[in-house]
């Protein structure tokens, strides 16, 4: 069964940036897109399980800090080698200045 | 540690996995997220400028070489053209493989493919091998791009200054791949879904080289090969020299780039050819930072790094005696002093490797 989890405040993430969120033994990446929306994916790159938190957000893509694989964080799609497997994505919503994710 | 086995499928490769050296957490100098975001920012402008200069110079130099051919007066132009083809393309290949040269991905991909062709490195194979080089830098049995193995083979190193070893292997691999097969080591790190791309590129390249050779035969002259193919040999020396300096004589089997990589201050011409990869510790620690930002990154973190070598000759003078000592004792390496402002090396973590450092 899925549930909505309070992940962070909206102002904790700059536009075109991400933060790490750990919950219940799992780790996620939460993104603030250039047009003000929030998105959530698994936190670990599908190439070699490096956390994306130190990566670079450019428009709607996250670039992994280890080998520069990129993913579309809205869909999780792997866009550039060496990642070939897509990231899982999770629904988000904003309530009272907080970002909630559905896990 | 005894004799090293550099095969990707051998006992050292297994040991690296068992001991946690493979895919380990590496040391990073602290730097704020805000500063790092600034440093990682992509831009097309510096790389467009440099690419126009590079290709412009290549066209002019090759044109003069052709105009003066077969006189010996053409030689200096070929030598300069060769370095741009056989060495500057190495750094372009490298930077574009990281996707950091340009902001626009298709520019990166275009230059990556051109540079891969010049360097005779299959763009798909080498993308994977270079990823492994960054995951497991100078981990014996894991890193497929170790330039100086221990004990060093000086004949091989000198032959490679003229591309002889690399090109010989590259031709073998290209023909193998063009026949529809991969070497077992390639198959160990290239995902199956990508393997057909390796084969397709190899076939295209074989066709191009066949056309150039046919033109040379038709003209009764090696001139076409002076422009395409041979500069990978006669212009290789600069990228081999700088490539050896990256890690040569330093530690292996450690997980701190300050111990296994070397930053060297270089003259502006070499920095243009090498696209700032002389800031090599910085590049390995933070591969997301584009080449044009590496000098700034260096300024921000140099307090935590061993002092850079002041010039290419000084770095060679440090490295070559260390390599010679490795002929007698392959566990020997240079352990470089950290400044007092740096966080110390994790001696506990690297006890086995550091035990053999220079006294
Ligand atoms: S771990 Fe992310 S690209 Fe390799």
């Amino acid at each position: 069964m899925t549930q909505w989890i309070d992940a962070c405040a909206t102002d904790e993430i700059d536009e075109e940036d991400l933060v790490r969120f750990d919950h219940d033994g799992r780790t996620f990446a939460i993104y603030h897109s250039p047009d003000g929306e929030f998105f959530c994916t698994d936190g670990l790159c599908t190439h070699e399980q490096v956390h994306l938190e130190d990566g670079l957000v450019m428009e709607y893509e996250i670039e992994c800090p280890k080998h520069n694989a990129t993913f579309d964080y809205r869909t999780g799609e792997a866009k550039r080698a060496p990642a070939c497997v897509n990231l899982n994505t999770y629904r988000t919503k904003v309530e009272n200045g907080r970002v909630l994710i559905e896990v | 540690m005894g004799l090293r086995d550099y095969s990707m499928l051998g006992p050292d490769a297994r040991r690296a996995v068992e001991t946690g050296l493979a895919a380990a957490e590496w040391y990073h100098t602290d730097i704020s997220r805000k500063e790092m975001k600034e440093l990682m920012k992509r831009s097309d402008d510096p790389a467009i400028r440099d690419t126009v200069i590079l290709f412009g110079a290549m066209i002019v130099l090759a044109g003069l070489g052709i105009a003066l051919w077969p006189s010996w007066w053409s030689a200096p132009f070929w030598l300069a053209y060769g370095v741009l083809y056989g060495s500057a393309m190495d750094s372009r290949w490298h930077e574009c493989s990281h996707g950091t040269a340009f902001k626009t991905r298709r520019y990166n991909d275009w230059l990556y493919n051109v540079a891969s062709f010049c360097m005779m490195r299959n763009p798909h194979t080498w993308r994977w091998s270079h990823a492994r080089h960054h995951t497991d830098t100078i981990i014996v049995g894991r890193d497929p791009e170790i330039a100086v193995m221990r004990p060093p083979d000086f004949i091989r190193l000198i032959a490679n200054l003229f591309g002889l070893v690399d090109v010989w292997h590259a031709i073998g691999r290209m023909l193998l791949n063009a026949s529809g097969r991969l070497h077992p080591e390639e198959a160990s790190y290239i995902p199956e879904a990508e393997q057909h791309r390796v084969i397709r590129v190899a076939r295209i390249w074989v066709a191009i080289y066949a056309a150039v050779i046919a033109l040379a035969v038709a003209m009764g002259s090696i001139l076409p090969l002076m422009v395409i193919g041979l500069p990978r040999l006669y212009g290789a020396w600069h990228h081999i020299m700088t490539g050896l300096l990256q890690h040569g004589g330093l530690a292996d089997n450690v997980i701190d780039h300050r111990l296994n990589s070397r930053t060297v201050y270089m003259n502006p011409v070499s920095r243009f050819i090498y696209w700032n990869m002389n800031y090599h510790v910085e590049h390995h620690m933070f591969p997301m930072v584009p080449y044009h930002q590496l000098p700034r990154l260096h300024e921000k973190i140099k307090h935590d790094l061993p002092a850079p070598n002041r010039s290419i000759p000084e770095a060679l003078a440090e490295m070559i005696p260390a390599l010679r000592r490795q002929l007698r004792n392959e566990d020997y390496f240079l352990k470089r002093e950290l400044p007092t402002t740096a966080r110390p090396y994790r001696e506990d973590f690297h006890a086995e490797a550091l035990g053999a450092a220079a006294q």
Side-chain angles (χ1 to χ4, degrees), chain A residues 48-68:
Chain A
E48 286 184 358
Q49 308 299 308
V50 167
H51 210 290
L52 296 166
E53 63 181 323
D54 292 326
L56 177 65
V57 177
M58 284 179 290
E59 299 191 348
Y60 298 102
E61 289 186 2
I62 170 69
E63 186 173 308
C64 173
K66 189 73 184 178
H67 310 111
N68 314 74

Side-chain angles (χ1 to χ4, degrees), chain A residues 17-37:
Chain A
D17 203 4
L18 80 161
V19 294
R20 172 182 180 146
F21 173 63
D22 295 331
H23 173 73
D24 206 12
R26 297 169 69 185
T27 187
F28 303 92
I30 303 180
Y31 308 85
H32 191 171
S33 73
D35 53 13
E37 284 188 88

Side-chain angles (χ1 to χ4, degrees), chain B residues 179-239:
Chain B
S179 75
R181 287 171 295 160
L182 264 71
H183 188 277
E185 285 198 352
E186 292 174 327
S188 78
Y189 57 79
I190 305 172
E192 248 177 83
E194 291 283 308
Q195 294 182 2
H196 71 280
R197 297 180 204 271
V198 175
I199 290 164
R200 194 187 58 200
V201 168
R203 287 178 175 160
I204 293 169
W205 288 8
V206 167
I208 294 173
Y209 284 116
V212 175
I213 291 168
L215 181 62
V217 171
M219 289 171 63
S221 162
I222 63 161
L223 187 56
L225 287 158
M226 289 297 286
V227 181
I228 294 175
L230 287 178
R232 175 65 181 82
L233 299 173
Y234 67 76
W237 65 271
H238 191 279
H239 95 266

